[in-house]
Every structure is written in C-alpha cells, then in structure tokens.
Amino acid sequence: MDFNALGVVQALGGGADPAADPGTCRVTTPGGATVDVPAFTGADGRLRARVRHTAPGTYEFAFDGGTTTAVEVTGPPPARRDLTVRPGERILRDEAGEPFLWVADTWWYAFSERASGADFAALVELRRDQGFTVVQLVAGLYPETTAFTAQAATGGRWSWTPDLGHPDPLWWDAAEERLAAVVSAGLTPAVVGAWSYYLLDLGDERIRRHWREIVARWAALPVVWCVCGEVGLPHYDELGADDLPERVADLVARWSAIGAGLRALDPYRRPVTYHPCPAFRHLTTLDAVGEKAEVDLVWMQTGHADRGSVAQSLRALDRALAAEPPLPVVNSEVCYEGIAAGSPATLQRMLFWSHVLGGAAGHTYGAQGIWAFARGEADDPGNVWGTIDWAEAARLPGAAQTGLGGRLLAGLRWWEHRPWQSGVAPAATRQSPFLPYCAGTATERVVYVPANSLRDPTVGISLELRTLVLRELGAGAWRVDVVDPRTGALVATHRARVDATGEWELPGTHFATSLPTFEDWLLICHKEGDAA
C-alpha cells in the first residue's frame, strides 16, 4: 500500500507483542508541531504509527519505549477532501471550505471476503463514476451475524483473535487494503466501529481497544466516524425481554462513553455520529443518544417499509433539522432498493430528492444484496430480507439515479438552497408526502415531482398535477428546464415571464398532468434577468 499517495506518513518501530498495549507515538512534523497518535502492531510484529502528510520534510516519530524514527517525505501532500463541520451549518465542507454533498452507498460487509478484491475494486470504480462521494462500512463487527462466523471472515480470520486477546493484525492489514481502494478513488469512508450488541460480547475495554485500533490505523485518512451501528440494540434474541428498555438504555449510555473516549483519542477530530435503531423509536442519532453524547453529524435510520416509511422519514428529518445547535443531517439507512421485494428505483429517487430538498446534507442509498455482499446463498447475512447476488444488486437502477441526483446538484449552488414548499403548488406535506418538493434561492429553484404511482392508491391515477404553479418567484425572466431524473436528459425548456404576483403556471401537456408523463420529474429554474 502506497501510504504517501493517500496523504499518510508511516513509520516503523521495534518488535512488539500484539497482545501488549502498543502505546503512543509522538510525531514532530516538518513545521515543528507535535501530534500524539496511538501506535499499533502490524502483521509482521513491528510497531507502526501514522500521521497525516501536511508538508514535505522530516517527520520524527518517537515511540513509547524509546524507539525514534525519522521519515523524509518529498513533494506536496496529495489532493484529498478531509471533511469538517462548521458551527451553525447544516452542510459538510472540506478543509478548503468547499461544500461537500453526501451521496453514500451502504457496504457494511466491505472488509469481508464475500467479494473478491478485483470485484470490490470494480464496484468502487462504478460508484465513483456514478457520482457517489461516501461509502458506509463496518470495521469487522458486522450486523446480522455473530462473532467468528464464516460470514464475517476475511482470509479465514476475524477482526479479533479467537481468544479475544487482541485485534488480529492479519485481518486489519487485509481490511485496510480495501479502505485504501475507497480513499484512492476519492470516496470518503464512513467507518462504523461495531454493531451495538458486540459490546455485550467483547465488553467495554475490548471495544475501546477496537476503536483504538481503528484510530491508530485510519485516523490519518479522510474518514468519518460512526461510534456504533443501531446504538442500543442488544442481541436479537433479547428483543422480547421484559426489561428491554433498561437494556437499551444501558447500552446507549455505555456506547456514549466509548464515543467520548473516541473523541479524546482522535488527534484529527474527524466528524462523529451514531447510527440509530428504529425498533426503539430512535429514528435519528439525537433520538438515540440525546444529550448523552456530543456529535458532529446526525444520522437517521427510518425503516424499510417501502412507501410506508416515507412520512416518518420526513418527520424525523424535520425534528433533526429543528434541533439546536444546527447540525448536518443525513438519512443513513432507509428502504434499501429491493428489500423485502419492495422499494424500487422510483422510491429511491423520491427519497433522495425529498430529503435533499428538505434540508438534508445529502442522502445514503442502499440495496438488498450489497450491504452484506450477498451471494444469493442460504447462509447470506440478512437473507430474510431477500435473496439476490450482490453483483446483480449493484446494477439496480436506483443506485445510478441516486448518483445522478448528486451530479445534477453539483451543477447548482445546492449548499445555498433552503426548503421552500410555499414556492410550488400543489406541494407535499407530511400528511401528503407524494406531492412536489421545492428548494432554492432567490435566483435558483429546484422542484421535484414524485411519480403519480406513489400517490393515494385508492383513487387510481391522481389528477392533482393537472396544474403546477411555481410561486414566490422574483419578477422577470426565468428559464425552467424540465429534466428527467432517471437519465438526466433535458426534455423541455420554458421561458417564463413572471409578473409582480411571483407566480407562473407550467404549460399543460395533457388533461391530467402538466408534466411530460405521469412519471417523476425535475424542474430546474434560473432567474435570467430582464430578457425573456
């Protein structure tokens, strides 16, 4: 692995027992600043430490125990996007201050060998080319399985030794080859430390040791941390316990303490969040940990009930956006494409656009089959949700159309947009979520109109869109582009002359709709000045 190409400087220390505490390494950078980083033991039995490459010159590594190593680095740091959260903002930015749109895919089992190295690399390339910017993955302690199962293995090994004595360096060395592939492609890894119930298996101190290994190896990379998946979730067979609320509360409190330790350990203060569990009515990070933990980013998980999950997803988004202080909000898990034979591409587009136009900092896609790299076999993790080979699932249309949504927004000043439901009529409400969504600025407006098939199934084809009116536009000339969200094709352009009322009605094309078809559509509107 070429660490310098990833913007990381690595030094080797002396030999070490992998079961022993590897200690800390103080690094002096070329500018004279010092940073303390946790060390770790590689598969060759030698200590290692890593820091971020910030400038050419000499990096001096002083390991606990007295070993000192100097590493000379030539050339400037490679370009990359390390993410930050500014106080009071609801978006993510990179360190240069450029807005970062979160468009993620869900690969919980990315470090397992359920996909070959070549196939994994091809998936990374595919998602990058489609427009994704983030990959969500778990550091070995995966959901929907238990410790030491073949489902979770990499090279026949698990992330911990069989006696739970210490993290297995062979597993970690293999896993970070995949993490490097993600970073090399320009994608940001969102690393989930473990699924919640592993705290019951390993105990608090081992989980802290687990997170120490993650930070030691990967904090110098451009990453985001998620303290745990489905925080508060005990073992699945405990969900019927009479004292379930007490068990959940205990796990939440313990994980919150581990998250506080993670913040103290990480020298780069990467953004931190928690993944919630809707089984306990925890639809957002804030529902789950509340004031128990400090977070930089709010994740949501809002169900897999197809169109039945939409209203509660958007209500949860409202709650998260109303919290103070303001934080970026992303739905990190909702309605995987194909899960339980539902949630098709039509719904994926609707979820993406309703969330980003509703104020989210981006959106996370997922597909049944990909999250666990399923092989269409009886022992696939989570196959109760559906059996499909991951390579087939990777080509489902909702992924490409989610990435396309990100690419379309990249051509706009999306970070300045604000939800503007009064800017379109009819407009979606939380009671009627399958009507149009609107966001924008005084000079730029985006309207998403969900597919007619998503509306009230009791009335046949809805006639609610026989007229579609844009409202609260500035008087003057506007260009209104009608864009296909399935392909990105521009199918029509209207030159709108808006008077002092601020209203303009989309010309009708059919007695039942003013849009080209009953499918979903985007209107991208720009104020052009006085010339019509």
Side-chain angles (χ1 to χ4, degrees):
M1 185 188 308
D2 183 358
F3 289 101
N4 197 45
L6 301 178
V8 175
V9 183
Q10 174 176 272
L12 298 178
D17 178 356
D21 182 352
T24 300
C25 185
R26 172 157 291 185
V27 184
T28 303
T29 67
T34 60
V35 55
D36 292 332
V37 298
F40 66 96
T41 304
D44 61 358
R46 294 186 65 183
L47 286 174
R48 285 169 167 74
R50 295 172 181 165
V51 294
R52 184 175 171 185
H53 175 193
T54 55
T58 302
Y59 292 76
E60 295 184 353
F61 292 75
F63 290 87
D64 286 353
T67 302
T68 301
T69 303
V71 178
E72 187 72 23
V73 178
T74 60
R80 62 184 221 182
R81 302 193 74 185
D82 293 67
L83 301 187
T84 64
V85 177
R86 293 182 177 179
E89 287 197 335
R90 299 197 186 280
I91 65 167
L92 292 150
R93 294 182 184 268
D94 62 24
E95 290 179 327
E98 293 299 313
F100 180 91
L101 182 65
W102 181 288
V103 184
D105 198 5
T106 308
W107 303 350
W108 298 140
Y109 278 61
F111 296 134
S112 76
E113 58 187 7
R114 301 182 63 79
S116 70
D119 287 342
F120 183 82
L123 179 60
V124 169
E125 182 178 356
L126 174 65
R127 290 296 188 255
R128 177 200 63 200
D129 293 347
Q130 287 174 329
F132 285 78
T133 58
V134 179
V135 174
Q136 297 177 180
L137 39 79
V138 180
L141 306 181
Y142 304 120
E144 304 260 358
T145 190
T146 54
F148 302 108
T149 61
Q151 297 169 323
T154 298
R157 309 183 81 89
W158 200 59
S159 54
W160 278 71
T161 56
D163 62 354
L164 294 180
H166 57 84
D168 187 335
L170 284 168
W171 184 93
W172 290 89
D173 281 7
E176 62 191 19
E177 293 288 341
R178 294 204 168 178
L179 194 75
V182 172
V183 174
S184 295
L187 301 173
T188 296
V191 179
V192 181
W195 229 247
S196 174
Y197 54 82
Y198 287 96
L199 186 56
L200 301 172
D201 299 327
L202 275 70
D204 299 59
E205 291 310 310
R206 287 192 183 93
I207 289 294
R208 288 190 179 94
R209 178 69 181 84
H210 186 80
W211 258 113
R212 190 184 187 284
E213 190 78 10
I214 296 170
V215 171
R217 287 175 174 266
W218 301 339
L221 293 166
V223 294
V224 171
W225 302 136
C226 175
V227 177
C228 80
E230 295 190 316
V231 60
L233 178 70
H235 292 117
Y236 298 114
D237 60 6
E238 298 177 56
L239 291 176
D242 292 339
D243 62 344
L244 179 61
E246 290 78 12
R247 299 187 191 202
V248 171
D250 176 66
L251 279 169
V252 168
R254 291 164 63 186
W255 274 114
S256 297
I258 288 165
L262 165 62
R263 279 190 172 280
L265 182 65
D266 177 10
Y268 299 107
R269 195 175 171 84
R270 302 301 184 190
V272 172
T273 190
Y274 295 73
H275 176 262
C277 183
F280 315 126
R281 302 182 187 235
H282 297 164
L283 301 183
T284 77
T285 300
L286 301 178
D287 294 338
V289 300
E291 297 180 355
K292 297 183 181 70
E294 183 182 352
V295 297
D296 306 292
L297 170 68
V298 176
W299 271 13
M300 299 164 54
Q301 185 193 175
T302 53
H304 292 286
D306 203 285
R307 67 192 301 276
S309 292
V310 171
Q312 79 168 3
S313 297
L314 296 171
R315 287 193 295 268
L317 177 63
D318 289 344
R319 289 200 314 276
L321 290 172
E324 293 293 340
L327 292 171
V329 181
V330 169
N331 200 333
S332 68
E333 182 176 341
V334 58
C335 293
Y336 291 156
E337 187 169 8
I339 196 167
S343 302
T346 300
L347 188 68
Q348 302 304 315
R349 298 189 300 273
M350 189 269 166
L351 288 166
F352 175 87
W353 287 105
S354 62
H355 280 70
V356 296
L357 298 184
H363 192 67
T364 296
Y365 169 83
Q368 177 60 17
I370 297 179
W371 64 267
F373 286 87
R375 299 166 173 168
E377 298 172 352
D379 66 345
D380 283 337
N383 67 0
V384 68
W385 295 101
T387 54
I388 184 174
D389 182 85
W390 75 265
E392 178 185 351
R395 299 286 177 177
L396 290 172
Q401 291 159 5
T402 299
L404 171 63
R407 298 202 310 275
L408 289 170
L409 285 172
L412 305 172
R413 298 185 66 81
W414 61 267
W415 60 94
E416 296 179 351
H417 291 183
R418 296 295 179 267
W420 202 329
Q421 286 302 88
S422 59
V424 64
T429 65
R430 296 307 178 243
Q431 293 71 39
S432 300
F434 300 108
L435 288 169
Y437 291 81
C438 179
T441 67
T443 58
E444 186 172 86
R445 198 76 61 87
V446 179
V447 173
Y448 175 73
V449 184
N452 203 306
S453 61
L454 292 172
R455 297 191 185 95
D456 186 350
T458 66
V459 298
I461 295 298
S462 169
L463 303 182
E464 292 173 284
L465 291 175
R466 61 198 319 171
T467 60
L468 183 65
V469 178
L470 302 183
R471 293 178 167 173
E472 301 176 10
L473 297 171
W478 284 75
R479 186 181 82 248
V480 179
D481 291 334
V482 182
V483 176
D484 185 340
R486 296 163 292 284
T487 66
L490 174 64
V491 301
T493 294
H494 301 284
R495 300 290 175 175
R497 171 66 69 177
V498 179
D499 62 22
T501 66
E503 295 193 356
W504 178 79
E505 182 176 326
L506 191 69
T509 61
H510 186 274
F511 81 92
T513 179
S514 55
L515 295 160
T517 67
F518 286 136
E519 299 163 289
D520 51 329
W521 292 95
L522 278 169
L523 304 180
I524 300 178
C525 316
H526 296 276
K527 196 171 191 301
E528 294 190 308
D530 294 332

